[in-house]
C-alpha cells in the first residue's frame, strides 16, 4: 500500500485536479487522501460550492478519502496553509505529498525550500525590506543573490506552495516524500483555457456568471442542484463590521504587522465596495491577496492564536471503500472526527478551532440566494461514495 496525500481547495474540482490524481496512480499510489479547504478559501472568500459537494466531486473523480483543512488554516498565507495540510497528512501516515508545480522537479523545489529558510537568507531579506518593497519581492531578490534559479522558482504560485510543502515536511521531520508533477494547461488564475483544462479561477467566474463550464470538470452532474455561493451576498455585512470596528480589534487578526490595521480601518470608512476597500488598503508591502485574507479573517472572528495553533484534530468529510479501509487500518496521531459530538471530549484548542469552523459555516449560510439556518456545520456528516 502506498498512500499519496494532496492538499487542495478543489474550488471546484476540475480536470487538472483529476489529471494530478491520475499521475499519482501511474507513479504507484494505491490510495489517494485529499486535505480540502472547507467553506472559505485562501482568496479570502467563500468557496463556490459547499465543502460536502466538493468532497463528493473529488471522491467521484478518484480521491479515496477527503479530510478537511480547518478554516483558520484554509484562510491563511502559503506557509500556514501548507504547514497545516502537511501536519494532517503526516499524522494520517501518508507516504507521499503529491502536488502540481510549474517546474515539475521535486529536487529543485526541496533545494529552494532549504534556501528560503536558511540562516544565510535572513540578513539579505532584511536589507531588501529597507527599500520599502514587499516581503515577496525582498525574498526573491535575496534568493537571487544565493542562486538565481531559486529566485525563478518562487515567481510561480504553485512552485511557492511546493516550497512551503517541502519546508513543512522538513520542519516536522515527516517521513513523507514530496512528489511533484508539472502542471498542464492553464496557469493558476489564468483567464485562458487549454482544451478542457482551465484554471479554477476561470471556472468560478463562469459558474457565477451563468456561463458554460461543464467541459472543464470530470462530471458536471455531480454539482446538479448545488447552490453557488458568492461573497457579494455578505459584502455590506463585511463593510459594516469594519466600519464599526476599532483598529486594535483588527490587530488581533492573523498576518497583521506594521500598523496595516490602521490602514484597513481607514479604508473601510471610505470604501463603498469590497473591491474598493482592497484597492485602498493595498500597499507595496501588503498584496491584494493578503488584504483579502486579513479582512475575511477579521469578519469570521479568526485570530492569530487560531492560525498559530497546531492542527488539533482531523475531520473526515468523505470516503469510499478504500478510504474506509484507511480509516480502519491506519494508525492516526490526531483524533479523527466524523461528527460534531466527537469534539466534546477533546481539548481547548480543538474546541476553539471547531467553534471557528461553525461560525464560518453560519456565515456561509448567508452567501447564497436561499439563506440557510445556523448550525449546519454541526449536523453535516461525511459523504460516503461507492
Amino acid at each position: 500500500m502506498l498512500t499519496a496525500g494532496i492538499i487542495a481547495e478543489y474550488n471546484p474540482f476540475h480536470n487538472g485536479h483529476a489529471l494530478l490524481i491520475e499521475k499519482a496512480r501511474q507513479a504507484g499510489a494505491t490510495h489517494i487522501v485529499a486535505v480540502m479547504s472547507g467553506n472559505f478559501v485562501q482568496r479570502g472568500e467563500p468557496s463556490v460550492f459547499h465543502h460536502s459537494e466538493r468532497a463528493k466531486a473529488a471522491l467521484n473523480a478518484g480521491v479515496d478519502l477527503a479530510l478537511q483543512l480547518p478554516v483558520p488554516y484554509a484562510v491563511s498565507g502559503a506557509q500556514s496553509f501548507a504547514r497545516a495540510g502537511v501536519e494532517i497528512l503526516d499524522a494520517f501516515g501518508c507516504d507521499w505529498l503529491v502536488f502540481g508545480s510549474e517546474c515539475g522537479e521535486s529536487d529543485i523545489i526541496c533545494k529552494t525550500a532549504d534556501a528560503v529558510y536558511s540562516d544565510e537568507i535572513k540578513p539579505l531579506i532584511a536589507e531588501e525590506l529597507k527599500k520599502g518593497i514587499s516581503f515577496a519581492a525582498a525574498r526573491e531578490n535575496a534568493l537571487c543573490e544565493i542562486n538565481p534559479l531559486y529566485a525563478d522558482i518562487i515567481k510561480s504560485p504553485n512552485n511557492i506552495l511546493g516550497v512551503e510543502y517541502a519546508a513543512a515536511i522538513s520542519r516536522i521531520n515527516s517521513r513523507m516524500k514530496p512528489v511533484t508533477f508539472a502542471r498542464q494547461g492553464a496557469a493558476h488564475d489564468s483567464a485562458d483555457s487549454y482544451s478542457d483544462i482551465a484554471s479554477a479561477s476561470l471556472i468560478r467566474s463562469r459558474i457565477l456568471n451563468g456561463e458554460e463550464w461543464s467541459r472543464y470538470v470530470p462530471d458536471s452532474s455531480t454539482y446538479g442542484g448545488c447552490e453557488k455561493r458568492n461573497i457579494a451576498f455578505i459584502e455590506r455585512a463585511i463593510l459594516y463590521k469594519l466600519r464599526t470596528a476599532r483598529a486594535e480589534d483588527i490587530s488581533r487578526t492573523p498576518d497583521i504587522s506594521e500598523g496595516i490595521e490602521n490602514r484597513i480601518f481607514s479604508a473601510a470608512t471610505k470604501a463603498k465596495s469590497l473591491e474598493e476597500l482592497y484597492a485602498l488598503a493595498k500597499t507595496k508591502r501588503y498584496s491584494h491577496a493578503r488584504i483579502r485574507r486579513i479582512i475575511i479573517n477579521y469578519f469570521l472572528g479568526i485570530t492569530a492564536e487560531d492560525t498559530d495553533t497546531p492542527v488539533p484534530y482531523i475531520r473526515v468529510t468523505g470516503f469510499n471503500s478504500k478510504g474506509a479501509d484507511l480509516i480502519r487500518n491506519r494508525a492516526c496521531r490526531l483524533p479523527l472526527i466524523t461528527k460534531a459530538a466527537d469534539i466534546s471530549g477533546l481539548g481547548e484548542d480543538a474546541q476553539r478551532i471547531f467553534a471557528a469552523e461553525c461560525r464560518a459555516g453560519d456565515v456561509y449560510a448567508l452567501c447564497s440566494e436561499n439563506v440557510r439556518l445556523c448550525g449546519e456545520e454541526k449536523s453535516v456528516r461525511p459523504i460516503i461514495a461507492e
Side-chain angles (χ1 to χ4, degrees):
M1 179 187 294
L2 196 158
T3 305
I6 295 173
I7 304 169
E9 292 186 324
Y10 292 158
N11 185 31
F13 189 98
H14 57 64
N15 292 335
H17 297 134
L19 183 59
L20 179 63
I21 291 172
E22 181 183 340
K23 288 183 176 181
R25 299 273 190 203
Q26 290 172 351
T30 58
H31 294 72
I32 304 292
V33 177
V35 175
M36 296 174 50
S37 300
N39 287 330
F40 284 86
V41 295
Q42 266 200 310
R43 292 176 60 86
E45 62 187 20
S47 57
V48 70
F49 296 125
H50 189 274
H51 66 73
S52 291
E53 295 159 347
R54 288 158 36 236
K56 180 181 178 182
L59 291 166
N60 286 350
V63 167
D64 298 311
L65 175 63
L67 308 173
Q68 189 174 71
L69 185 66
V71 66
Y73 319 108
V75 189
S76 64
Q79 185 175 356
S80 296
F81 178 91
R83 186 210 82 214
V86 167
E87 286 177 358
I88 291 171
L89 292 176
D90 180 71
F92 201 78
C94 289
D95 303 294
W96 291 353
L97 195 167
V98 175
F99 57 96
S101 64
E102 287 81 6
C103 77
E105 296 181 29
S106 302
D107 184 58
I108 191 61
I109 290 282
C110 292
K111 288 179 179 178
T112 303
D114 290 340
V116 164
Y117 287 97
S118 67
D119 291 335
E120 179 184 4
I121 201 173
K122 293 176 183 177
L124 299 176
I125 291 176
E127 282 300 311
E128 291 294 328
L129 286 173
K130 291 177 182 178
K131 300 175 182 178
I133 60 178
S134 70
F135 178 81
R139 185 174 67 173
E140 183 180 326
N141 291 346
L143 276 176
C144 198
E145 293 191 40
I146 296 173
N147 187 327
L149 177 58
Y150 300 157
D152 286 339
I153 288 295
I154 65 162
K155 289 179 180 179
S156 303
N158 290 281
N159 283 349
I160 291 172
L161 263 181
V163 165
E164 294 298 345
Y165 293 151
I169 287 172
S170 176
R171 195 175 298 121
I172 67 172
N173 294 315
S174 171
R175 70 177 187 84
M176 276 195 302
K177 176 184 176 182
V179 177
T180 191
F181 298 98
R183 279 177 60 93
Q184 292 181 226
H188 179 81
D189 271 353
S190 171
D192 300 319
S193 63
Y194 297 83
S195 183
D196 59 350
I197 296 181
S199 70
S201 180
L202 174 62
I203 299 170
R204 287 192 301 272
S205 175
R206 286 179 170 269
I207 291 170
L208 294 176
N209 291 327
E211 300 170 352
E212 195 278 330
W213 55 280
S214 62
R215 70 188 181 99
Y216 302 122
V217 298
D219 182 6
S220 62
S221 67
T222 301
Y223 301 101
C226 296
E227 288 184 281
K228 58 187 179 183
R229 313 299 175 110
N230 195 329
I231 198 170
F233 288 104
I234 57 172
E235 180 175 38
R236 291 191 176 185
I238 296 172
L239 292 173
Y240 161 77
K241 184 164 183 178
L242 285 167
R243 286 185 176 192
T244 57
R246 298 176 301 170
E248 54 264 39
D249 296 332
I250 302 172
S251 70
R252 289 188 284 272
T253 304
D255 226 6
I256 290 284
S257 64
E258 300 173 335
I260 190 64
E261 68 271 19
N262 297 305
R263 187 177 180 91
I264 291 173
F265 176 74
S266 176
T269 65
K270 304 179 182 71
K272 297 178 182 178
S273 69
L274 282 177
E275 285 303 323
E276 186 178 5
L277 173 59
Y278 303 146
L280 288 172
K282 182 181 179 296
T283 70
K284 286 184 179 179
R285 289 279 182 96
Y286 280 77
S287 67
H288 193 281
R290 190 172 177 183
I291 294 294
R292 292 174 71 105
R293 286 194 294 269
I294 289 171
I295 288 170
I296 200 65
N297 271 310
Y298 174 68
F299 184 64
L300 295 175
I302 295 169
T303 67
E305 181 186 11
D306 297 329
T307 307
D308 293 341
T309 298
V311 177
Y313 59 81
I314 297 178
R315 187 181 186 189
V316 178
T317 55
F319 54 86
N320 58 20
S321 59
K322 291 175 71 175
D325 288 339
L326 283 176
I327 293 171
R328 283 192 296 267
N329 300 319
R330 186 62 58 94
C332 185
R333 292 198 307 276
L334 288 173
L336 276 179
I337 304 302
T338 59
K339 56 185 182 299
D342 295 336
I343 294 290
S344 61
L346 303 184
E348 181 181 330
D349 287 345
Q351 304 286 343
R352 191 178 71 256
I353 298 301
F354 188 69
E357 200 73 67
C358 291
R359 285 196 308 274
D362 291 343
V363 171
Y364 192 74
L366 301 173
C367 294
S368 65
E369 292 182 3
N370 300 310
V371 175
R372 294 178 177 270
L373 297 176
C374 290
E376 184 179 70
E377 207 58 27
K378 293 180 180 179
S379 62
V380 69
R381 300 296 293 270
I383 299 294
I384 302 176
E386 295 181 0

